[in-house]
Each structure stands twice: as structure tokens, then as C-alpha cells.
Amino acid sequence: MKKLGLALSGGGFRAAAFHLGTLRKLQTLGILDKVEVLSTISGGSITGALYALNIDNFTEFEKKLRTGLKKSMLTTSWLLVGLVGPILLVLPFFLAYWAWWALIFYIPIILLFIKYQFNILPLGKLIEKRYGTTFYGKNELQDLPDKPLLAINSTNVETGRPFTFSREKMNDSFYEYPGAGKKPILFKHKLFPVSRAVMASTCVPFAFTPVKIGKQYFKDKKDIGKIDPTLIDGGVYDNQGIHKLSHPGSSYECGTIIVSDAGTGFKPVTKMNNTLVLLIQTSNLFMNRIKNIQFMGNVILNKYLGNKAIAYFSLGYEPISCINYFVDYLKDGKIITSVIHSHDLTEKDVSKMDKEYLKSYIKDRIGYSDLEKSFPSREVLEQAKNVGTNLTSLSDQKIDALVGVAEALTELQVRLYCPDLLK
């Protein structure tokens, strides 16, 4: 088991900018160089991969990321959709007006479009190309550093499991550990493009073309045709990136974990006027439910299931609420013993203190009054929360807002949940 892992959540360019703030603060605190595993999802993979490829020059990494975040990844893609979509929609009405019997010829076109949609609209390949020209060039998995070990996570809809790309391997557990008497299916990962791995991690279902593993990457040619890895956004399985770091027996498992989550929580929708809105909100509900279950298992029940030091923070958190929650967890016995002792407390001390006194003690202990001076204003916090989770360009103002919020929350939660990292 490795010592320190950092998880960067999904959330498009909003997440990419938010995680820049996390990395900046961890560097300032002298913690970033201690990270042994960097587990990334979707928007977090955009930032994580670029950081890993510029591990020796943080200034250059930040410059490249900020420049890239000001460019939309969708220009070419949506232009293509804008041309093909309307044509397919308008064509039947035109045919019906011109000659109703001509609709007979339209049906095969629709069937062909359905069958070969990903070939006709290769949105995933277009985004991958944009990633390459904007962020990663022609770098391959073999170009990633040994430390931190970067784990770029996607979801394999064929197996229903995470498919992870790293310098050491690319695979999912279904192929790698197929069971007694079965031969594992392995892949040649070294020459796999980083931009394609990030595309797989950010491949939003229904919006982009799923990523396939080409025949040239199978170690044993006999395995070609036996499986068909179909990769989509890693957030479908785990939108926080914590699974690989906390799962017992995982080659990426760590004893101490920091989780940077660019999510803002579930937002109610009062009007369901069409199927599209219903589909999007249903997807949001699924994702939020998965996140809550993971939070319960990895954070709330961690003392009993994992006994790891985990500093988790989300864009939706209020700084003062972080203190309140920590004190509640202390009083409810949900903080691991080593963290309690790091605050010069014992379980007996905690049980004797009332909440207000304990809150005052913890504030003094972590220097909350000094931290409070760097907290973003309400206006900046709301601006950060309102940034969308797509891949469209961000202004400097929005990037700065997200970075500022992340920096404040990172230091606060590390001081609360992982104080030993600062010693």
C-alpha cells in the first residue's frame, strides 16, 4: 500500500480549473511532492495528465493549463453536429412535401445512421485531437512519470467496471483477473496516447463517441474479438476518483487520501417539460446517489471499513460548515484515532468536551482565524459554483474564482483530516 494518494474528480473544465487550485495549495504546503498516486476522473484527468507531463515545472504546467482552459474543445464537434442533425430532422418533411413515397428511401438512411452513428459523427476522435493539440501533444503512457503514478480512470460499459490507464498498465479487473482456469487478457499500454486516455475518461455518454481499444494494443492477437472494451466517462462509475485509492487490494491503494471534488451537489429542477430534461436530471440523480454512497463508505464509515486518513472537500462546501462537520464527526466517533491524536486529543477528551468548546479548540488548533482571511467572498464562491461542467472556454475571472475556492478548502480540510502531512 502506498502512503499518499490524491483524487481529482470529474466536472469538465470547471473541475480542471478547481483542481489547479488544489495542486497549487498542496505545492505551497509542501505536500504535492509527497503524492505517490494521482487518481483522476473526467475533468480531473485533463489537469492530472498535464501536471504529470510537466512534473518538474509547475509554473509551465499552470501556464499551459490556464491557456488551454480558455479554448473550447467543442468548436469542431458541435459544428459537425449542427450540420448533420438538422439535415436528418428536416429531410423527412422535405421529402413528404416533395413526394410522400420518397420517405421509403429515408428509412434506410435512418437505419444506417443508427448503425454507424459513431463513424458518421466521430465526436470522441475530434475531442481527442483537440486534447492533443492543446494539452498533451503526442505523449504516450510511457512518457508519464514514475511518481506520482497517474491513474486515468474511465468506465468500461462492456464489463461494468473501471478501466484505468497508467504508466504501468491499462486494464480493468474483469480482464486482468478473470477467475480460476481463465487466461487474463492484457494490453500493450506503453504507446497508447495520453490524449486518448483522457478522452476515454471524459467521454460523456450520448454526447461523445465511446473510446475503443485498437487491435494493435492487444498483447495476444488471439484475444481480438473475444472482448470489446467500450469506454465512457469515468464519472459513471466513480466521479470522485477515490475508488482506486481506497479499494482494498488495488495496486493504487493508499493509506492517506486527499479528495478534490468539483461537484456542487444535486440541484432540483422544477419543470420537466421534455424527455431530454428528464434524461439529464435522471442521470444527475444516479450520479449524486453514487457519490453519496461512496462518501458514506469512504468517509463516514471509514473508521470501521478502511481506517484511512481522508481529507475530502467539495466545491459546494462552506468553510465554516467544514468545521461544524468535523466536530460532529468527532463527537459521533467517526474520526480515526490517529487523526484525533494528531490534534492532541484522546477519545476521552472528545467525549467530555461540549461541541462549542470543541469547535473553539479545533479552530485554534488549525489556525482558523488566519485561514479565514484567505476565504473567498460570497460573490466569488457563487461565481465558482455557477461555472458549467462542459468543455467550453473559461474566462480568467472564472478560473481565478475556482482556483481560489479550491485553495481555501484544500488547506482547511488537510489541516482538519490529515494534520500529519503538515508536520
Side-chain angles (χ1 to χ4, degrees), residues 160-190:
R161 300 186 186 186
F163 191 104
T164 304
F165 301 87
S166 75
R167 177 185 171 85
E168 295 182 349
K169 61 182 177 179
M170 63 182 197
N171 218 319
D172 78 11
S173 58
F174 184 84
Y175 302 141
E176 195 172 5
Y177 308 104
K182 295 182 179 180
K183 182 177 72 70
I185 296 176
L186 305 175
F187 302 94
K188 295 185 289 186
H189 65 286
K190 291 185 178 181

Side-chain angles (χ1 to χ4, degrees), residues 3-6 22-37 51 54-58 146-149 258 421:
K3 293 182 180 180
L4 177 60
L6 171 62
T22 299
L23 295 175
R24 276 179 58 174
K25 179 54 66 173
L26 291 178
Q27 185 195 44
T28 301
L29 295 173
I31 296 174
L32 191 56
D33 289 341
K34 300 176 185 178
V35 174
E36 294 187 55
V37 182
Y51 167 68
N54 295 270
I55 192 69
D56 296 323
N57 193 334
F58 192 91
D146 293 321
K147 181 185 176 185
L149 176 60
I258 299 172
L421 291 177

Side-chain angles (χ1 to χ4, degrees), residues 301-410:
L301 300 178
N302 169 60
K303 183 174 181 177
Y304 313 103
L305 300 179
N307 201 39
K308 303 175 187 294
I310 300 178
Y312 178 103
F313 52 91
S314 170
L315 175 56
Y317 281 12
E318 301 281 344
I320 187 60
S321 296
C322 293
I323 297 291
N324 294 335
Y325 281 130
F326 184 75
V327 170
D328 287 342
Y329 294 157
L330 276 173
K331 297 296 288 184
D332 293 340
K334 294 172 181 174
I335 300 297
I336 64 174
T337 302
S338 62
V339 173
I340 295 175
H341 290 174
S342 293
H343 287 292
D344 283 341
L345 292 169
T346 65
E347 285 88 342
K348 190 173 182 181
D349 294 331
V350 172
S351 65
K352 288 182 177 180
M353 296 177 178
D354 62 52
K355 282 189 176 181
E356 288 305 313
Y357 181 81
L358 185 56
K359 186 186 300 183
S360 177
Y361 174 87
I362 292 297
K363 279 186 172 183
D364 289 340
R365 180 77 187 173
I366 67 171
Y368 184 82
S369 58
D370 290 331
L371 292 177
E372 197 172 18
K373 298 174 184 176
S374 66
F375 291 164
S377 65
R378 170 59 54 185
E379 181 183 5
V380 171
L381 185 59
E382 289 303 315
Q383 182 182 29
K385 289 181 179 180
N386 288 328
V387 175
T389 58
N390 46 45
L391 297 175
T392 55
S393 60
L394 298 182
S395 65
D396 279 316
Q397 189 177 29
K398 290 181 178 179
I399 295 173
D400 290 339
L402 287 160
V403 167
V405 174
E407 286 189 295
L409 290 173
T410 300

